[in-house]
């Protein structure tokens, strides 16, 4: 394995410094002028002469010159446009063989009439775009996303489900890597859910859903990658947007209606001039939340008879202020070299006060005893990220070399006071309350180096290669003290855990267009993992070292101009997130808690997909995957003490098979729909406490978005989703559904937008489920303030001259999600 890893590293750098073989690349060149004056930043679009489809887009330089490398042979024409000028088409021309040099000469644009000054350039993106390797959701295209959070946008995105604990699944499979701007989030499922619930949709540009990523991406995530891209403008000069929004949530309970105010505000700006591009954003928000959790548990004797039952009811009340900010700059040294820096930060400051009533019942239903617990929990969660990046473009063919250096820091502190009163069978308080105080700091430091090299060769052949090295240190402390009636004394459950991890990776990816109908892509990624866990409290250490290979393969066949088939395969890994490896105990109340497992192993999966695309819009996909050593959240019980705790273990193997359909419909000029349907079967097999586990379920989910153009500048949306009863790990989830109504009106000649939406107006959305295996028999119900009304106002300022974009991904990929990825 080490020889293979070193070979891939050598290949990466040897290709970088090899002289490129002569490339017979067809180039189309020309100049754009207004009279004798060159037009800079004019958009030159290469169109297929057959159907006017967009093939490639380039931008003119300061001398008005452009150069387009033709990716294929055929007949083409150019569309040339620039703000303030009439657009112009060239005559068609042919690219008949590799090596053609097409010169279009000088194209003169005519200034637009004075009336054009009042015209605002706007482009309406579709809600959902199907691309060759991913599904893209354009967040601003849906009016109902106004005032929503990133979690709510994800929840109604095609193929994505979110369970009661915030664990995200894709097409019925857990183990998704969630990234933000190409960086994994490194958070536990709970912390990731908090981050997404407090990130406003107004700060998000797109959500990219990749169910079968190539070898270029980290191998982590057995069900794929979700990349949340924040906003960054491509326009010249100073431009941006300001959004102010307010939401009211409603939580009915009996005759009382609890009102939960929230706010969503954002500022995004971008300044481009000459060689400098500066961009940034700031999102200050407030969120008041309320939800109620009910857990019913049965405890059994060894002969299977009922020993006791427990009913837990928890009401969560909380207020949170959160702030996220980003500031970055790109410096275009010259036409071939770009240097960039990006700094981001996120702060979450919340006070939560859950109150819990736990009653223990005898088999005949009579009350045995009870507990009443309250928790005062103050949470401070901060994240800082710094990135330095560099790109060198060798020529206009796409040959380039990139480098990323990343540093990420997470600082999470929770200070809690758990007060528990013991109740007798008549509900009266027995003795003094039990007091448990906790100080729980957690720090994660991540260092990453990544480099990639892309080299197009002759005959439609391209090779990509790269290496990545990262180091992670996770330092966790739980300091519990218990009051004995006279003084505070250290509790035996206090602990100190340090986890270190180093992953070295290298990959090679090749892409070849075999003919007009056949294309193939294949890749191989090697990852060498070294981990060390140290429990300071009891001076115990564990170490692991392993190297794995992760192949990927894609085969595409164009049946005709309307139909295309794609077959893909990948092997992937899901490593335990850092919090799941942490052996600490976290309390909900005195009888219910959560505990990590430092002995977790990674899980591995094989994934196969066959997709059919009709006219690039109607997508049908058949998928199959098999996963071993599945990392599952399970419950364990102590019948004598009536305690239940949640932990994570490798308990089973998992098989998923599914069929999904993505279909956009244009019913009339004013009515459009986007439909996603997913039918899948999940099957888990394993052992729990020596007893076999065999759980299987067939489920389906439907996402439907209807868009209406009611009048000029006025639109509406009616959207919703339905998820049938399904199986997620060992949790059986009841059906869930929701509907949202949205209205939108553009004002001020397109510079501002007013949005109003009503999310879940009938209060349908709630969670329910159960676990039944071994001696575990648990039923869960959860309700929250899902019924919400939101109003928002967005104002866009600045120029509309489009500048060339710089597409890049940072070096921190898997790690940012494993500060706890959703398992």
């Amino acid at each position: 394995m080490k020889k293979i890893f070193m070979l891939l590293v050598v290949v990466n750098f040897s290709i970088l410094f090899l002289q490129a073989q002569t490339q017979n690349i067809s180039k189309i060149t020309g100049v754009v002028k207004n009279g004798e004056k060159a037009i800079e930043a004019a958009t030159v679009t290469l169109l297929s002469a057959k159907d006017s489809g967009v093939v490639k887009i380039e931008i003119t330089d300061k001398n008005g010159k452009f150069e387009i490398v033709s990716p294929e042979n055929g007949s083409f024409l150019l569309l040339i446009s620039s703000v303030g000028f009439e657009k112009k088409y060239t005559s068609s021309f042919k690219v008949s063989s590799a090596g053609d040099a097409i010169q279009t000469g000088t194209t003169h644009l005519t200034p637009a009439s004075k009336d054009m000054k009042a015209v605002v350039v706007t482009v309406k993106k579709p809600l959902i775009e199907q691309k060759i390797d991913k599904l893209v959701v354009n967040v601003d295209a849906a009016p109902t996303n106004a005032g929503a959070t990133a979690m709510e946008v994800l929840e109604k995105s095609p193929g994505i489900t979110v369970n009661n604990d915030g664990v995200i699944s894709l097409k019925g499979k857990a183990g998704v890597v969630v990234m933000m701007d190409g960086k994994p989030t490194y958070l536990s499922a709970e912390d990731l859910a908090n981050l997404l619930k407090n990130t406003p949709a107004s700060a998000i540009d797109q959500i990219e859903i990749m169910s079968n990523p190539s070898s270029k991406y980290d191998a982590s995530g057995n069900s794929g990658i979700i990349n949340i891209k924040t906003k960054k403008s491509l326009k010249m000069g100073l431009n941006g947007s300001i959004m102010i929004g307010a939401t009211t949530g409603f939580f009915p309970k009996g005759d009382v209606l609890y009102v939960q105010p929230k706010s969503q505000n954002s500022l995004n700006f971008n300044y481009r001039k000459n060689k400098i591009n500066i961009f940034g954003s700031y999102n200050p928000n407030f969120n008041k939340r309320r939800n109620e959790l009910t857990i019913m548990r049965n405890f059994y004797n060894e002969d299977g008879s009922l020993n006791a039952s427990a009913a837990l009811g928890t009401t969560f009340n909380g207020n949170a202020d959160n702030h996220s900010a980003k500031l970055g700059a790109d410096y275009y040294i010259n036409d071939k070299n770009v240097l960039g820096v990006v700094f981001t930060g996120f702060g979450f400051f919340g006070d939560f006060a859950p109150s819990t009533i736990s009653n223990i019942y005898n088999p005949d239903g009579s009350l045995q005893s009870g507990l009443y617990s309250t928790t005062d929990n103050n949470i401070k969660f901060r994240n800082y990220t710094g990135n330095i990046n560099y790109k060198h473009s060798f020529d206009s063919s796409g040959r380039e070399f990139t480098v990323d250096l990343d540093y990420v820091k997470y600082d999470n502190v929770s200070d809690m006071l758990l007060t528990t009163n013991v109740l007798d069978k008549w509900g009266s308080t027995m003795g003094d309350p039990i007091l448990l105080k906790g100080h729980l700091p957690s720090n994660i430091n991540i260092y990453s180096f990544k480099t990639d090299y892309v080299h197009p060769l002759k005959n439609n052949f391209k090779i990509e290669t790269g290496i990545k090295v990262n180091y992670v240190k996770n330092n966790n402390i739980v300091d519990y003290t218990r009051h004995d009636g006279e003084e505070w004394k250290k509790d035996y459950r206090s602990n100190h855990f340090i986890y270190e991890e180093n992953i070295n990776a290298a990959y090679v990816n090749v892409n070849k267009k075999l003919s007009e109908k056949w294309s193939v892509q294949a890749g191989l990624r090697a990852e060498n993992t070294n981990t060390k866990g140290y429990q300071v409290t009891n001076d115990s250490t564990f170490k692991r070292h392993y190297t794995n290979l992760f192949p990927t393969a894609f085969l595409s066949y164009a049946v005709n101009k309307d139909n295309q088939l794609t077959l893909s395969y990948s092997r992937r890994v899901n490593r335990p997130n850092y919090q799941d490896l942490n052996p600490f105990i976290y309390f909900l109340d005195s009888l219910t808690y959560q505990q990590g497992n430092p002995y977790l192993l990674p899980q591995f999966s094989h994934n196969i997909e066959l997709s059919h695309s009709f006219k690039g819009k109607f997508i049908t996909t058949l998928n199959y995957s098999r996963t071993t050593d599945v990392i599952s959240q399970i419950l364990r019980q102590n019948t004598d003490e009536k305690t239940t705790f949640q932990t994570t273990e490798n308990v089973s193997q998992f098989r998923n098979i599914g069929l999904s359909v993505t279909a956009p419909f244009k019913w009339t000029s004013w009515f459009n729909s986007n439909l996603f349907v997913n039918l899948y079967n999940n099957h888990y097999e394993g052992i729990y406490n020596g007893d076999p586990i065999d759980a299987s379920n067939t489920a389906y989910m439907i996402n439907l978005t209807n868009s209406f153009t009611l009048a000029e500048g006025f639109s509406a949306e009616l959207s919703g989703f339905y998820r049938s009863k399904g199986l997620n790990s060992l949790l059986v989830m009841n059906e869930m559904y929701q509907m949202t109504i949205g209205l939108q009106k553009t004002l001020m000649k397109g510079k501002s937008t007013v949005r109003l939406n009503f999310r879940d107006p009938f209060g349908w959305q709630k969670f329910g489920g159960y676990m039944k295996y071994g001696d575990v028999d648990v039923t869960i119900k959860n309700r929250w303030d899902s019924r919400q009304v939101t109003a928002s106002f967005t104002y866009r300022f600045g120029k509309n001259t489009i500048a060339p974009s710089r597409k890049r991904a940072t070096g921190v990929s898997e790690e940012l999600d494993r500060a706890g990825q959703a398992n």
Side-chain angles (χ1 to χ4, degrees), residues 527-640:
E527 294 190 349
N528 168 253
T529 306
N530 308 280
T531 65
K532 176 184 177 182
Y534 177 44
Q535 286 201 61
V536 179
T537 306
N538 59 10
D539 193 25
S540 62
T541 302
F542 71 85
K543 296 181 180 180
R544 293 197 184 102
H545 308 279
Y546 53 91
T547 301
N548 298 103
L549 297 178
F550 301 96
T552 60
F554 300 80
L555 181 65
S556 179
Y557 174 65
V559 181
N560 51 45
K561 68 182 183 70
D562 291 333
N563 295 275
Q564 182 167 322
L565 294 171
T566 302
L567 179 66
S568 61
Y569 163 79
S570 68
R571 181 176 187 253
R572 302 190 65 77
V573 64
N574 226 30
R575 297 181 179 89
N577 70 57
Y578 308 131
Q579 292 301 96
D580 283 343
L581 291 167
N582 188 336
F584 296 172
I585 293 175
Y586 299 93
F587 289 93
L588 176 61
D589 66 8
S590 296
L591 300 180
T592 312
Y593 57 92
Q594 179 180 337
Q595 185 172 13
N597 177 8
Y599 304 105
L600 281 172
L601 299 173
Q603 66 181 39
F604 295 90
S605 65
H606 296 273
N607 305 280
I608 300 173
E609 283 194 357
L610 175 63
S611 295
H612 170 257
S613 172
F614 177 65
K615 292 188 175 181
K617 298 179 179 180
F618 299 89
I619 312 296
T620 304
T621 302
L622 179 65
N623 66 276
Y624 172 87
S625 69
R626 180 166 289 277
T627 306
T628 56
D629 291 325
V630 176
I631 299 173
S632 301
Q633 291 183 344
I634 68 168
L635 296 178
R636 290 193 175 275
Q637 297 187 156
N638 185 315
T639 300
D640 293 334

Side-chain angles (χ1 to χ4, degrees), residues 506-517:
Y507 77 91
V508 172
N509 203 54
V510 294
N511 189 300
K512 170 70 175 173
K513 186 172 182 179
L514 303 175
S515 67
E516 289 298 317
K517 290 183 175 292

Side-chain angles (χ1 to χ4, degrees), residues 322-341:
N322 55 88
H323 304 262
S324 62
K326 176 169 67 173
L327 181 64
D330 293 326
Y331 176 62
Y332 294 80
I333 302 170
N334 51 43
D335 291 342
K336 294 186 176 181
N337 297 281
V338 186
L339 181 67
V341 293

Side-chain angles (χ1 to χ4, degrees), residues 688-705:
Y688 170 83
N689 282 353
D691 297 325
I693 294 175
D694 191 340
S696 180
N697 174 265
T698 298
Y700 65 93
M701 65 175 299
I702 300 172
N703 289 74
L704 178 62
T705 301

Side-chain angles (χ1 to χ4, degrees), residues 236-446:
M236 295 294 289
L238 175 65
N239 55 80
S241 65
I242 299 174
M243 195 277 279
I244 300 174
T247 297
T248 301
F250 302 96
F251 188 96
K253 184 175 181 181
D255 296 330
V256 181
L257 181 65
Y258 293 93
V259 177
Q260 311 294 306
K262 313 170 196 292
S263 70
Q264 296 86 27
N265 308 291
S266 66
L267 167 66
N268 297 275
F269 74 91
N270 198 94
Y271 178 75
R272 279 178 180 257
K273 186 174 182 180
N274 299 326
K275 295 184 176 183
I276 296 291
N277 179 58
I278 301 173
F279 55 92
S281 64
Y282 175 56
N283 303 279
N285 297 287
F286 170 80
N287 191 351
K288 184 175 182 180
R289 299 204 303 255
R290 182 183 180 93
N291 70 294
E292 293 188 350
L293 173 69
T294 302
I295 301 177
M296 304 294 296
R297 295 170 290 190
N298 289 324
F299 298 90
Y300 296 96
N301 299 311
E302 292 185 1
D303 61 1
S305 60
L306 183 64
N307 177 281
S309 298
L312 177 148
T314 299
T315 299
F316 292 90
N317 285 297
N319 301 301
D321 290 299
N322 55 88
H323 304 262
S324 62
K326 176 169 67 173
L327 181 64
D330 293 326
Y331 176 62
Y332 294 80
I333 302 170
N334 51 43
D335 291 342
K336 294 186 176 181
N337 297 281
V338 186
L339 181 67
V341 293
V342 183
F343 301 97
T344 61
F346 177 81
F348 173 84
F349 309 94
D351 291 293
F352 298 93
S355 58
T356 302
I357 297 177
S358 299
N359 290 325
I360 308 296
Y361 297 94
N362 294 309
D364 61 3
S366 60
L367 181 64
Q368 185 182 115
S369 62
L371 298 174
Y372 175 67
S373 302
T374 58
T375 304
D376 293 320
N377 200 357
N378 178 266
I379 297 175
K380 296 178 182 178
F381 174 78
R382 290 167 287 222
N383 161 234
Y384 314 97
T385 300
N387 168 265
I388 300 175
N389 54 84
Y390 168 76
K391 183 178 81 169
H392 173 71
S393 301
F394 292 88
D395 49 47
S396 60
S397 68
R399 182 180 170 216
E400 63 181 34
F401 172 71
T402 60
V403 177
D404 279 276
L405 295 171
D406 288 273
Y407 170 69
V408 182
K409 180 177 178 62
Y410 286 94
D411 182 8
N412 189 359
V413 180
S414 175
D415 289 296
M416 54 152 285
L417 174 62
L418 173 62
T419 303
T420 303
N421 289 282
V422 181
L423 309 177
D424 60 23
K425 62 181 180 179
W426 294 283
S428 300
T429 301
M430 298 173 57
D432 295 327
I434 302 170
L435 302 178
L436 181 69
K437 187 186 296 184
H439 176 65
L440 295 78
S442 175
N443 293 283
I444 302 175
N445 289 277
I446 303 166

